[in-house]
């Protein structure tokens, strides 16, 4: 039986009162776990003895009578010494995961767990390892000790500020975001992150939010399926998509305590559907910047393993880790390719997909899912139904105004001055080009200028390179038309603002701009 309740003290108290004889606590935070167990023993029954054992110091009494005759450092002998404890004692065993492979140790633990059920002795094994031997798993209650909550982190931050004597210039919102950024870390990890931020600036202010977020990257080393993105994109670096940007800014404070007090639930996620190259992946990075939350990319290919049940277990671990790090952005890129069902995998992909769908529907942790897709036909209908996403946005071919903005963004990125270019002509001549293609024409033009004695890039260079490129709206005309028809049928909201170049169709809008560069 597994316990995943965040209220560790209450659940432990219930287990002790129910005379559970063997409890395995999975946590890397040994010190916090021992402190929690000790507090439960002291508050419930101070006369009840609480004893801790490790392979170096042997036995030490934490609560109750301070004398204990056994001092063995050998695990088998230590288990024998437990007979000398009182019949209502709690014995905390550290380091015992190092002896999981010893059949005598496992047998002795099972024997004691069976014998102790007739009195009030309880064995508590602390381990950082998630794997528990099958022989012991059946006898034990398995508890996943939760990381520190916001109140614990806030109190620890106050202690650090007081003892260090530094100046704290955090705003109320900045303090809340720093605590949110530290959620999911162990207490030691959070302390190190706070200390490094203080040392970097000699003070603590709102600038340190991103530094705390970056510290979470180390936590992800436990999962090959999650990749931490340290670098994000600002809204100024993403051209167009005005409606989507407004939607995101409106929910910037959605993960704050103020929003909870107001009665607002944390947003679940969005699906970004549309034409390749229109900025879906860029948008996922932009959301992390606007909301100041860590961005995790789920590599679905890494979820699948060769052993029976391995894929499902990897999926559970990856999603559990994302919940531990929450609040965060979980980005699932090209989700239609990740879960393309095949007949040769014995239903593994379907089971993994079903687990992800169930998690998206039922999750209570503030994990905001951003799913991107290019091929609508490959998406199962149950993925896009209401309840799993707050909104489905369609990223269409950019309008005239958006193309002009995209040209400005990419010219500035490459140290060019947009005012020196004829943006009106570039926007008009790039009709039918997506953002990625516009970026490539600028890069091609820069190579052209660089090869000619590193002269300055001109509008004519970009136009020449544009003429040599076949846009996706031409090479994949049928695919693009099918995607835009899907939008016109009212199945999603346009991520861009409707302009005069768009006209109504079937109750929604669809771009009617012609493709100026269409080839015969």
């Amino acid at each position: 039986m597994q316990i995943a309740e965040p209220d560790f003290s209450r659940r432990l108290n219930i287990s002790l009162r129910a005379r559970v004889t063997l409890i395995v606590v999975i946590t890397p935070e040994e010190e916090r776990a021992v402190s929690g167990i000790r507090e439960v023993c002291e508050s419930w029954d101070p006369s009840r003895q609480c004893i801790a054992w490790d392979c170096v110091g042997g036995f030490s009494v934490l609560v109750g009578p301070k004398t204990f005759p056994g001092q063995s450092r050998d695990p088998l002998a230590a288990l024998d010494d437990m007979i000398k404890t009182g019949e209502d004692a709690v014995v905390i065993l550290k380091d015992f995961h190092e002896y999981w492979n010893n059949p005598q140790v496992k047998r002795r633990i099972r024997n004691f767990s069976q014998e102790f059920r007739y009195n009030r002795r309880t064995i508590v094994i602390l381990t950082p390892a998630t794997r528990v031997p099958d022989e012991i798993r059946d006898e034990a209650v398995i508890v996943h000790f939760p990381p520190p909550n916001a109140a614990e982190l806030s109190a620890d931050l106050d202690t650090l500020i007081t003892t260090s004597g530094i100046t704290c210039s955090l705003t109320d919102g900045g303090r809340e975001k720093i605590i949110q950024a530290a959620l999911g870390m162990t207490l030691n990890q959070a302390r190190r992150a706070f200390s490094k931020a203080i040392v970097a600036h000699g003070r603590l202010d709102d600038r340190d939010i991103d530094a705390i977020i970056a510290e979470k990257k180390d936590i992800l080393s436990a999962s090959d399926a999650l990749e931490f993105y340290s670098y994000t994109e600002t809204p100024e670096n993403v051209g167009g998509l005005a409606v989507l940007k407004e939607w995101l800014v409106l929910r910037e404070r959605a993960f704050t305590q103020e929003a909870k007090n107001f009665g607002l639930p944390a947003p679940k996620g969005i699906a970004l559907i549309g034409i390749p190259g229109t900025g879906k992946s860029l948008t996922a990075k932009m959301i992390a910047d606007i909301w100041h939350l860590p961005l995790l990319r789920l590599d679905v290919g890494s979820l699948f393993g060769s052993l029976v049940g391995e894929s499902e277990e990897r999926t559970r671990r990856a999603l559990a880790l994302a919940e531990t790090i929450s609040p965060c952005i979980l980005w699932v890129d090209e989700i239609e390719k990740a879960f393309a069902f095949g007949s040769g995998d014995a239903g593994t992909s379907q089971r993994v997909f079903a687990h992800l769908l169930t998690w998206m529907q039922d999750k209570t942790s503030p994990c905001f899912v951003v799913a991107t897709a290019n091929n609508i036909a490959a998406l199962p209908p149950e993925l896009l139904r209401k309840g799993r996403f707050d909104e489905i946005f369609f990223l269409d071919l950019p309008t005239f105004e958006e193309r002009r903005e995209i040209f400005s963004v990419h010219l500035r990125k490459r140290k060019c001055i947009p005012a020196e270019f004829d943006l009106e002509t570039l926007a008009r001549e790039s009709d039918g080009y997506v953002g990625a293609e516009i970026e490539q024409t600028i890069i091609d033009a820069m190579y052209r200028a660089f090869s000619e004695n590193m002269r300055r890039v001109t509008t004519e260079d970009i136009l020449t390179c544009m003429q040599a490129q076949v846009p996706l709206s031409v090479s994949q005309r049928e695919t693009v038309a099918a995607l835009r028809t899907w939008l016109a049928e009212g199945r999603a909201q346009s991520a861009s603002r409707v302009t005069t170049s768009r006209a109504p169709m079937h109750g929604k809008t669809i771009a009617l701009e012609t493709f100026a560069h269409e080839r015969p």
Side-chain angles (χ1 to χ4, degrees):
M1 177 172 61
Q2 288 195 1
I3 296 174
E5 285 274 347
D7 191 351
F8 173 75
S9 297
R10 183 178 67 86
R11 300 292 296 191
L12 178 63
N13 191 11
I14 291 173
S15 295
L16 293 178
R17 291 167 61 189
R19 300 191 179 186
V20 173
T21 57
L22 180 60
I23 301 173
V24 178
V25 179
I26 298 176
T27 176
E29 298 188 87
E30 183 179 272
E31 188 178 3
R32 274 187 70 231
V34 170
S35 178
I37 297 168
R38 180 175 183 169
E39 287 178 10
V40 170
C41 292
E42 287 177 331
S43 61
W44 177 36
D45 184 1
S47 65
R48 183 172 189 170
Q49 198 173 35
C50 180
I51 303 168
W53 179 91
D54 64 62
C55 61
V56 173
F59 287 97
S60 60
V61 179
L62 305 179
V63 178
K66 297 301 180 183
T67 58
F68 183 71
Q71 286 300 324
S72 176
R73 293 172 176 80
D74 177 77
L76 282 172
L79 289 172
D80 289 336
D81 285 341
M82 286 171 53
I83 297 296
K84 303 172 185 177
T85 63
E87 290 196 354
D88 59 351
V90 175
V91 183
I92 303 172
L93 300 179
K94 308 173 187 178
D95 308 322
F96 255 69
H97 59 280
E98 299 290 348
Y99 309 109
W100 282 151
N101 293 328
N102 186 326
Q104 292 178 305
V105 168
K106 285 189 290 188
R107 181 69 262 173
R108 193 71 59 88
I109 291 174
R110 296 187 73 186
N111 287 346
F112 279 129
S113 69
Q114 293 165 12
E115 292 171 10
F116 286 1
R117 70 177 54 144
Y118 300 108
N119 55 49
R120 295 175 60 198
R121 285 192 187 98
T122 299
I123 302 172
V124 181
I125 299 177
L126 298 184
T127 171
T130 57
R131 184 187 171 276
V132 178
D134 293 337
E135 304 95 318
I136 294 176
R137 181 179 292 272
D138 185 61
E139 302 281 350
V141 168
I142 300 176
V143 182
H144 291 267
F145 188 67
N149 57 30
E152 290 178 271
L153 291 171
S154 183
D156 200 71
L157 178 61
D158 286 336
T159 301
L160 185 61
I161 292 172
T162 302
T163 54
S164 63
I166 54 97
T167 301
C168 180
S169 305
L170 285 170
T171 63
D172 290 342
R175 180 187 176 87
E176 186 171 357
K177 283 188 175 293
I178 275 192
I179 297 301
Q180 281 186 345
L183 285 173
M185 295 181 179
T186 66
L187 197 59
N188 285 332
Q189 289 171 336
R191 285 172 183 165
R192 286 196 296 270
F194 295 150
S195 299
K196 288 168 69 175
I198 290 171
V199 170
H201 298 135
R203 59 187 298 133
L204 199 62
D205 55 34
D206 289 9
R207 293 178 300 171
D208 297 307
I209 298 171
D210 292 333
I212 305 299
I213 291 174
E215 288 294 316
K216 281 192 172 180
K217 184 174 183 179
D218 293 337
I219 302 176
L220 298 181
S221 60
S223 173
D224 294 331
L226 290 177
E227 179 182 0
F228 184 94
Y229 270 75
S230 302
Y231 301 100
T232 56
E233 293 287 351
T234 64
E236 292 74 23
N237 288 341
V238 181
L241 310 180
V243 173
L244 175 55
K245 288 179 180 178
E246 289 177 4
W247 190 93
L248 294 170
V249 171
L250 193 63
R251 288 157 178 79
E252 181 180 357
R253 297 163 58 199
F255 297 101
T256 63
Q257 187 60 44
E258 189 179 14
K260 291 181 183 177
N261 295 340
F262 192 74
L264 283 174
K268 288 190 171 184
I270 56 175
L272 303 177
I273 314 296
I275 300 164
T278 49
K280 295 185 291 296
S281 299
L282 203 63
T283 298
K285 300 174 186 177
M286 178 183 69
I287 297 172
D289 181 83
I290 293 176
W291 290 353
H292 291 285
L293 293 178
L295 175 63
L296 315 178
R297 181 178 177 272
L298 179 64
D299 181 4
V300 185
S302 297
L303 295 177
F304 294 94
S306 58
L307 301 178
V308 175
E310 184 179 5
S311 302
E312 294 87 335
E313 179 60 26
R314 288 183 181 181
T315 303
R316 282 191 288 269
R317 285 203 306 265
L319 296 179
L321 184 57
E323 287 188 321
T324 299
I325 294 172
S326 66
C328 65
I329 313 293
L330 183 65
W331 170 27
V332 188
D333 199 19
E334 296 189 348
I335 193 170
E336 78 278 17
K337 294 180 181 177
F339 297 106
F341 300 148
S343 58
D345 65 356
T348 299
S349 57
Q350 295 185 34
R351 290 192 297 272
V352 169
F353 182 71
H355 186 83
L356 178 63
L357 288 184
T358 302
W359 175 81
M360 289 172 61
Q361 179 70 35
D362 299 337
K363 65 182 171 69
T364 56
S365 59
C367 278
F368 187 82
V369 179
V370 179
T372 68
N374 298 321
N375 186 0
I376 302 297
L379 290 175
E382 61 267 30
L383 174 66
L384 299 180
R385 75 167 177 81
K386 289 295 182 181
R388 295 200 168 100
F389 295 108
D390 297 300
E391 191 58 80
I392 300 172
F393 284 99
F394 184 85
L395 280 68
D396 200 356
L397 293 171
T399 64
F400 176 87
E401 292 80 5
E402 289 176 326
R403 293 195 299 273
R404 183 172 56 193
E405 185 179 349
I406 292 170
F407 270 110
S408 295
V409 166
H410 288 296
L411 286 170
R412 284 196 302 269
K413 270 188 176 181
R414 285 157 183 83
K415 302 178 181 180
C416 297
I417 302 174
E420 296 179 354
F421 294 82
D422 187 350
L423 297 180
E424 298 291 320
T425 299
L426 290 174
R428 185 176 61 253
E429 294 300 315
S430 60
D431 186 10
Y433 283 71
V434 297
E437 292 167 340
I438 290 174
E439 180 183 18
Q440 190 58 50
T441 60
I442 294 174
I443 293 173
D444 291 344
M446 292 185 69
Y447 272 115
R448 183 186 183 94
F450 181 79
S451 66
E452 297 176 4
N453 298 320
M454 294 188 291
R455 61 174 176 81
R456 298 176 70 86
V457 183
T458 65
T459 300
E460 288 69 28
D461 292 326
I462 298 176
L463 290 172
T464 299
C465 293
M466 194 182 300
Q467 292 294 332
Q469 187 179 124
V470 179
L472 191 70
S473 58
V474 174
S475 62
Q476 299 289 329
R477 184 186 295 109
E478 294 79 8
T479 302
V480 172
L483 285 169
R484 302 177 87 187
T485 300
W486 188 82
L487 170 66
E489 292 173 351
R491 303 188 188 186
Q493 180 177 349
S494 175
S496 303
R497 200 176 305 283
V498 177
T499 65
T500 54
S501 60
R502 299 189 179 192
M505 182 176 180
H506 301 299
K508 288 288 181 178
T509 59
I510 186 168
L512 297 179
E513 293 177 301
T514 57
F515 302 148
H517 296 277
E518 188 168 318
R519 271 70 171 175

PDB file of all heavy atoms in Angstrom, residues 256-281:
ATOM      1  N   THR A 256      -0.957  32.282  -8.012  1.00  0.00           N
ATOM      2  CA  THR A 256      -0.688  32.926  -6.738  1.00  0.00           C
ATOM      3  C   THR A 256      -1.726  32.553  -5.689  1.00  0.00           C
ATOM      4  O   THR A 256      -2.827  32.100  -6.008  1.00  0.00           O
ATOM      5  CB  THR A 256      -0.671  34.456  -6.906  1.00  0.00           C
ATOM      6  OG1 THR A 256      -1.979  34.890  -7.323  1.00  0.00           O
ATOM      7  CG2 THR A 256       0.356  34.883  -7.943  1.00  0.00           C
ATOM      8  N   GLN A 257      -1.369  32.778  -4.434  1.00  0.00           N
ATOM      9  CA  GLN A 257      -2.308  32.529  -3.345  1.00  0.00           C
ATOM     10  C   GLN A 257      -3.496  33.479  -3.438  1.00  0.00           C
ATOM     11  O   GLN A 257      -4.620  33.138  -3.063  1.00  0.00           O
ATOM     12  CB  GLN A 257      -1.591  32.711  -2.000  1.00  0.00           C
ATOM     13  CG  GLN A 257      -2.427  32.325  -0.798  1.00  0.00           C
ATOM     14  CD  GLN A 257      -2.857  30.872  -0.822  1.00  0.00           C
ATOM     15  OE1 GLN A 257      -2.053  29.987  -1.122  1.00  0.00           O
ATOM     16  NE2 GLN A 257      -4.122  30.611  -0.529  1.00  0.00           N
ATOM     17  N   GLU A 258      -3.234  34.680  -3.977  1.00  0.00           N
ATOM     18  CA  GLU A 258      -4.308  35.659  -4.154  1.00  0.00           C
ATOM     19  C   GLU A 258      -5.392  35.118  -5.078  1.00  0.00           C
ATOM     20  O   GLU A 258      -6.587  35.293  -4.830  1.00  0.00           O
ATOM     21  CB  GLU A 258      -3.717  36.949  -4.720  1.00  0.00           C
ATOM     22  CG  GLU A 258      -4.673  38.120  -4.763  1.00  0.00           C
ATOM     23  CD  GLU A 258      -4.009  39.364  -5.308  1.00  0.00           C
ATOM     24  OE1 GLU A 258      -2.909  39.253  -5.895  1.00  0.00           O
ATOM     25  OE2 GLU A 258      -4.586  40.453  -5.146  1.00  0.00           O
ATOM     26  N   ALA A 259      -4.975  34.424  -6.140  1.00  0.00           N
ATOM     27  CA  ALA A 259      -5.943  33.833  -7.068  1.00  0.00           C
ATOM     28  C   ALA A 259      -6.727  32.712  -6.392  1.00  0.00           C
ATOM     29  O   ALA A 259      -7.938  32.571  -6.602  1.00  0.00           O
ATOM     30  CB  ALA A 259      -5.219  33.313  -8.311  1.00  0.00           C
ATOM     31  N   LYS A 260      -6.048  31.909  -5.563  1.00  0.00           N
ATOM     32  CA  LYS A 260      -6.737  30.831  -4.838  1.00  0.00           C
ATOM     33  C   LYS A 260      -7.779  31.406  -3.891  1.00  0.00           C
ATOM     34  O   LYS A 260      -8.904  30.905  -3.788  1.00  0.00           O
ATOM     35  CB  LYS A 260      -5.728  29.993  -4.059  1.00  0.00           C
ATOM     36  CG  LYS A 260      -4.805  29.149  -4.919  1.00  0.00           C
ATOM     37  CD  LYS A 260      -3.853  28.341  -4.050  1.00  0.00           C
ATOM     38  CE  LYS A 260      -2.868  27.546  -4.898  1.00  0.00           C
ATOM     39  NZ  LYS A 260      -1.887  26.809  -4.057  1.00  0.00           N
ATOM     40  N   ASN A 261      -7.392  32.465  -3.177  1.00  0.00           N
ATOM     41  CA  ASN A 261      -8.330  33.090  -2.234  1.00  0.00           C
ATOM     42  C   ASN A 261      -9.541  33.673  -2.957  1.00  0.00           C
ATOM     43  O   ASN A 261     -10.638  33.746  -2.396  1.00  0.00           O
ATOM     44  CB  ASN A 261      -7.616  34.176  -1.438  1.00  0.00           C
ATOM     45  CG  ASN A 261      -6.522  33.620  -0.544  1.00  0.00           C
ATOM     46  OD1 ASN A 261      -6.507  32.426  -0.228  1.00  0.00           O
ATOM     47  ND2 ASN A 261      -5.592  34.469  -0.133  1.00  0.00           N
ATOM     48  N   PHE A 262      -9.325  34.094  -4.189  1.00  0.00           N
ATOM     49  CA  PHE A 262     -10.415  34.654  -4.986  1.00  0.00           C
ATOM     50  C   PHE A 262     -11.356  33.559  -5.498  1.00  0.00           C
ATOM     51  O   PHE A 262     -12.460  33.829  -5.937  1.00  0.00           O
ATOM     52  CB  PHE A 262      -9.825  35.426  -6.168  1.00  0.00           C
ATOM     53  CG  PHE A 262     -10.820  36.280  -6.902  1.00  0.00           C
ATOM     54  CD1 PHE A 262     -11.284  37.468  -6.359  1.00  0.00           C
ATOM     55  CD2 PHE A 262     -11.306  35.881  -8.143  1.00  0.00           C
ATOM     56  CE1 PHE A 262     -12.204  38.249  -7.039  1.00  0.00           C
ATOM     57  CE2 PHE A 262     -12.221  36.658  -8.831  1.00  0.00           C
ATOM     58  CZ  PHE A 262     -12.674  37.854  -8.271  1.00  0.00           C
ATOM     59  N   GLY A 263     -10.872  32.299  -5.422  1.00  0.00           N
ATOM     60  CA  GLY A 263     -11.682  31.173  -5.878  1.00  0.00           C
ATOM     61  C   GLY A 263     -11.340  30.675  -7.252  1.00  0.00           C
ATOM     62  O   GLY A 263     -12.068  29.854  -7.821  1.00  0.00           O
ATOM     63  N   LEU A 264     -10.211  31.153  -7.812  1.00  0.00           N
ATOM     64  CA  LEU A 264      -9.820  30.737  -9.163  1.00  0.00           C
ATOM     65  C   LEU A 264      -9.000  29.455  -9.132  1.00  0.00           C
ATOM     66  O   LEU A 264      -8.044  29.345  -8.358  1.00  0.00           O
ATOM     67  CB  LEU A 264      -8.992  31.847  -9.826  1.00  0.00           C
ATOM     68  CG  LEU A 264      -9.747  33.058 -10.357  1.00  0.00           C
ATOM     69  CD1 LEU A 264      -8.763  34.116 -10.843  1.00  0.00           C
ATOM     70  CD2 LEU A 264     -10.679  32.664 -11.489  1.00  0.00           C
ATOM     71  N   PRO A 265      -9.347  28.470  -9.959  1.00  0.00           N
ATOM     72  CA  PRO A 265      -8.497  27.277 -10.072  1.00  0.00           C
ATOM     73  C   PRO A 265      -7.289  27.584 -10.953  1.00  0.00           C
ATOM     74  O   PRO A 265      -7.331  28.483 -11.806  1.00  0.00           O
ATOM     75  CB  PRO A 265      -9.424  26.256 -10.748  1.00  0.00           C
ATOM     76  CG  PRO A 265     -10.339  27.092 -11.584  1.00  0.00           C
ATOM     77  CD  PRO A 265     -10.551  28.379 -10.823  1.00  0.00           C
ATOM     78  N   ALA A 266      -6.208  26.858 -10.741  1.00  0.00           N
ATOM     79  CA  ALA A 266      -5.027  27.022 -11.596  1.00  0.00           C
ATOM     80  C   ALA A 266      -5.360  26.536 -13.005  1.00  0.00           C
ATOM     81  O   ALA A 266      -6.021  25.513 -13.163  1.00  0.00           O
ATOM     82  CB  ALA A 266      -3.852  26.240 -11.036  1.00  0.00           C
ATOM     83  N   PRO A 267      -4.948  27.271 -14.053  1.00  0.00           N
ATOM     84  CA  PRO A 267      -5.225  26.815 -15.421  1.00  0.00           C
ATOM     85  C   PRO A 267      -4.559  25.478 -15.708  1.00  0.00           C
ATOM     86  O   PRO A 267      -3.476  25.184 -15.205  1.00  0.00           O
ATOM     87  CB  PRO A 267      -4.641  27.936 -16.298  1.00  0.00           C
ATOM     88  CG  PRO A 267      -3.680  28.658 -15.428  1.00  0.00           C
ATOM     89  CD  PRO A 267      -4.176  28.518 -14.035  1.00  0.00           C
ATOM     90  N   LYS A 268      -5.231  24.641 -16.525  1.00  0.00           N
ATOM     91  CA  LYS A 268      -4.740  23.290 -16.797  1.00  0.00           C
ATOM     92  C   LYS A 268      -3.757  23.240 -17.958  1.00  0.00           C
ATOM     93  O   LYS A 268      -2.777  22.503 -17.924  1.00  0.00           O
ATOM     94  CB  LYS A 268      -5.922  22.355 -17.080  1.00  0.00           C
ATOM     95  CG  LYS A 268      -6.752  22.024 -15.853  1.00  0.00           C
ATOM     96  CD  LYS A 268      -7.746  20.901 -16.155  1.00  0.00           C
ATOM     97  CE  LYS A 268      -8.424  20.429 -14.879  1.00  0.00           C
ATOM     98  NZ  LYS A 268      -9.319  19.283 -15.115  1.00  0.00           N
ATOM     99  N   GLY A 269      -4.056  23.991 -19.018  1.00  0.00           N
ATOM    100  CA  GLY A 269      -3.157  23.935 -20.155  1.00  0.00           C
ATOM    101  C   GLY A 269      -3.822  24.411 -21.435  1.00  0.00           C
ATOM    102  O   GLY A 269      -5.009  24.740 -21.461  1.00  0.00           O
ATOM    103  N   ILE A 270      -3.040  24.462 -22.500  1.00  0.00           N
ATOM    104  CA  ILE A 270      -3.546  24.845 -23.815  1.00  0.00           C
ATOM    105  C   ILE A 270      -2.983  23.893 -24.860  1.00  0.00           C
ATOM    106  O   ILE A 270      -1.903  23.319 -24.691  1.00  0.00           O
ATOM    107  CB  ILE A 270      -3.182  26.304 -24.197  1.00  0.00           C
ATOM    108  CG1 ILE A 270      -1.665  26.512 -24.139  1.00  0.00           C
ATOM    109  CG2 ILE A 270      -3.909  27.301 -23.322  1.00  0.00           C
ATOM    110  CD1 ILE A 270      -1.220  27.883 -24.622  1.00  0.00           C
ATOM    111  N   ALA A 271      -3.736  23.727 -25.935  1.00  0.00           N
ATOM    112  CA  ALA A 271      -3.262  22.987 -27.106  1.00  0.00           C
ATOM    113  C   ALA A 271      -3.000  24.000 -28.208  1.00  0.00           C
ATOM    114  O   ALA A 271      -3.831  24.873 -28.474  1.00  0.00           O
ATOM    115  CB  ALA A 271      -4.297  21.962 -27.551  1.00  0.00           C
ATOM    116  N   LEU A 272      -1.835  23.917 -28.821  1.00  0.00           N
ATOM    117  CA  LEU A 272      -1.455  24.805 -29.915  1.00  0.00           C
ATOM    118  C   LEU A 272      -1.435  23.984 -31.201  1.00  0.00           C
ATOM    119  O   LEU A 272      -0.562  23.129 -31.392  1.00  0.00           O
ATOM    120  CB  LEU A 272      -0.084  25.427 -29.658  1.00  0.00           C
ATOM    121  CG  LEU A 272       0.064  26.225 -28.355  1.00  0.00           C
ATOM    122  CD1 LEU A 272       1.489  26.727 -28.186  1.00  0.00           C
ATOM    123  CD2 LEU A 272      -0.915  27.393 -28.327  1.00  0.00           C
ATOM    124  N   ILE A 273      -2.427  24.223 -32.032  1.00  0.00           N
ATOM    125  CA  ILE A 273      -2.572  23.477 -33.286  1.00  0.00           C
ATOM    126  C   ILE A 273      -2.285  24.431 -34.437  1.00  0.00           C
ATOM    127  O   ILE A 273      -2.661  25.599 -34.385  1.00  0.00           O
ATOM    128  CB  ILE A 273      -4.010  22.921 -33.433  1.00  0.00           C
ATOM    129  CG1 ILE A 273      -4.479  22.267 -32.131  1.00  0.00           C
ATOM    130  CG2 ILE A 273      -4.101  21.964 -34.596  1.00  0.00           C
ATOM    131  CD1 ILE A 273      -3.711  21.062 -31.724  1.00  0.00           C
ATOM    132  N   GLY A 274      -1.652  23.934 -35.472  1.00  0.00           N
ATOM    133  CA  GLY A 274      -1.475  24.822 -36.615  1.00  0.00           C
ATOM    134  C   GLY A 274      -0.416  24.387 -37.589  1.00  0.00           C
ATOM    135  O   GLY A 274       0.124  23.268 -37.531  1.00  0.00           O
ATOM    136  N   ILE A 275      -0.109  25.291 -38.462  1.00  0.00           N
ATOM    137  CA  ILE A 275       0.812  25.059 -39.570  1.00  0.00           C
ATOM    138  C   ILE A 275       2.248  25.030 -39.034  1.00  0.00           C
ATOM    139  O   ILE A 275       2.604  25.840 -38.180  1.00  0.00           O
ATOM    140  CB  ILE A 275       0.634  26.172 -40.617  1.00  0.00           C
ATOM    141  CG1 ILE A 275      -0.809  26.164 -41.124  1.00  0.00           C
ATOM    142  CG2 ILE A 275       1.614  26.011 -41.765  1.00  0.00           C
ATOM    143  CD1 ILE A 275      -1.215  27.418 -41.851  1.00  0.00           C
ATOM    144  N   PRO A 276       3.093  24.110 -39.502  1.00  0.00           N
ATOM    145  CA  PRO A 276       4.485  24.069 -39.037  1.00  0.00           C
ATOM    146  C   PRO A 276       5.199  25.392 -39.284  1.00  0.00           C
ATOM    147  O   PRO A 276       5.013  26.038 -40.329  1.00  0.00           O
ATOM    148  CB  PRO A 276       5.097  22.936 -39.874  1.00  0.00           C
ATOM    149  CG  PRO A 276       3.944  22.070 -40.251  1.00  0.00           C
ATOM    150  CD  PRO A 276       2.776  23.000 -40.422  1.00  0.00           C
ATOM    151  N   GLY A 277       6.001  25.816 -38.307  1.00  0.00           N
ATOM    152  CA  GLY A 277       6.792  27.028 -38.470  1.00  0.00           C
ATOM    153  C   GLY A 277       6.111  28.302 -38.026  1.00  0.00           C
ATOM    154  O   GLY A 277       6.666  29.390 -38.196  1.00  0.00           O
ATOM    155  N   THR A 278       4.902  28.197 -37.451  1.00  0.00           N
ATOM    156  CA  THR A 278       4.168  29.393 -37.050  1.00  0.00           C
ATOM    157  C   THR A 278       4.456  29.824 -35.613  1.00  0.00           C
ATOM    158  O   THR A 278       3.860  30.795 -35.137  1.00  0.00           O
ATOM    159  CB  THR A 278       2.652  29.186 -37.231  1.00  0.00           C
ATOM    160  OG1 THR A 278       2.269  27.943 -36.625  1.00  0.00           O
ATOM    161  CG2 THR A 278       2.296  29.150 -38.707  1.00  0.00           C
ATOM    162  N   GLY A 279       5.329  29.114 -34.900  1.00  0.00           N
ATOM    163  CA  GLY A 279       5.746  29.569 -33.580  1.00  0.00           C
ATOM    164  C   GLY A 279       5.144  28.821 -32.413  1.00  0.00           C
ATOM    165  O   GLY A 279       5.089  29.357 -31.301  1.00  0.00           O
ATOM    166  N   LYS A 280       4.741  27.582 -32.611  1.00  0.00           N
ATOM    167  CA  LYS A 280       4.129  26.828 -31.507  1.00  0.00           C
ATOM    168  C   LYS A 280       5.164  26.528 -30.414  1.00  0.00           C
ATOM    169  O   LYS A 280       4.890  26.718 -29.233  1.00  0.00           O
ATOM    170  CB  LYS A 280       3.507  25.536 -32.046  1.00  0.00           C
ATOM    171  CG  LYS A 280       2.334  25.778 -32.999  1.00  0.00           C
ATOM    172  CD  LYS A 280       1.662  24.486 -33.415  1.00  0.00           C
ATOM    173  CE  LYS A 280       2.561  23.654 -34.323  1.00  0.00           C
ATOM    174  NZ  LYS A 280       2.861  24.326 -35.604  1.00  0.00           N
ATOM    175  N   SER A 281       6.319  26.036 -30.805  1.00  0.00           N
ATOM    176  CA  SER A 281       7.367  25.743 -29.815  1.00  0.00           C
ATOM    177  C   SER A 281       7.875  27.027 -29.170  1.00  0.00           C
ATOM    178  O   SER A 281       8.160  27.068 -27.965  1.00  0.00           O
ATOM    179  CB  SER A 281       8.531  25.003 -30.480  1.00  0.00           C
ATOM    180  OG  SER A 281       8.096  23.770 -31.026  1.00  0.00           O
TER     181      SER A 281
END
